[in-house]
Structure formats: C-alpha cells, structure tokens
Amino acid sequence: MPVQITIIGLGQIGASIGMALSQHKNSVSVVGHDIELAVERAAQKKGAVEKTEHNLPKAVKDARIVLLALPVSQIRETLEFIAPDL
C-alpha cells in the first residue's frame, strides 16, 4: 500500500517535489494543498499531485509524511493549525 505524502504549498518548489515523487506511484500517494484553489488545480493538472484537498486538516489526516513548501513566515501558523491532525 502506498505511503501518503502531503505537500502543503504547491508553488514552484512544492509542485517540483510532487513531480519528482510522481515517478514513484507504486510506493507513494501524493496529496496536495495550497491556500489558492487555482494553484491546487494547476498542480494536479501538471501531475504533481494525485489529488488535492483544500481542507488542510483533511489533507494531512492520513499522511505519513508532510512536506511544507511555504514561506518561512507561514510555517509556525500552519504547524499550529495542523498539529491536532498529525
């Protein structure tokens, strides 16, 4: 069964990581989240993520690994928000 990896932040860095992980579909399942819905859709269209989840707690709920591809100023707030769901 593939390990779920959730990428929070699907800009240039997050999408690039997702594209690299997409070559390992047998062992990982990549879920993406971004604050902007259009960015989520673009990442999914490129194949950077298998699916997107705009609800952040749901995005990390079953994740074994969570990657933060965010501006430094958003990291603390994001981690505090998802801490109960990890």
Side-chain angles (χ1 to χ4, degrees):
M1 183 169 168
V3 172
Q4 179 180 319
I5 298 175
T6 297
I7 301 173
I8 301 174
L10 296 173
Q12 185 176 7
I13 293 172
S16 294
I17 293 169
M19 302 246 331
L21 290 171
S22 72
Q23 297 177 20
H24 304 281
K25 289 184 180 182
N26 292 336
S27 56
V28 298
S29 170
V30 182
V31 175
H33 169 84
D34 198 278
I35 197 164
E36 295 184 34
L37 197 52
V39 174
E40 286 182 357
R41 289 183 183 139
Q44 191 168 17
K45 186 176 180 181
K46 290 180 197 174
V49 295
E50 289 179 44
K51 73 175 196 170
T52 60
E53 178 57 66
H54 200 67
N55 180 296
L56 185 52
K58 285 183 182 178
V60 300
K61 183 180 177 229
D62 296 321
R64 296 284 306 262
I65 298 171
V66 176
L67 298 173
L68 300 178
L70 303 169
V72 173
S73 62
Q74 294 176 9
I75 291 177
R76 177 181 287 261
E77 180 182 2
T78 302
L79 287 173
E80 288 173 350
F81 188 74
I82 64 174
D85 304 297
L86 297 177

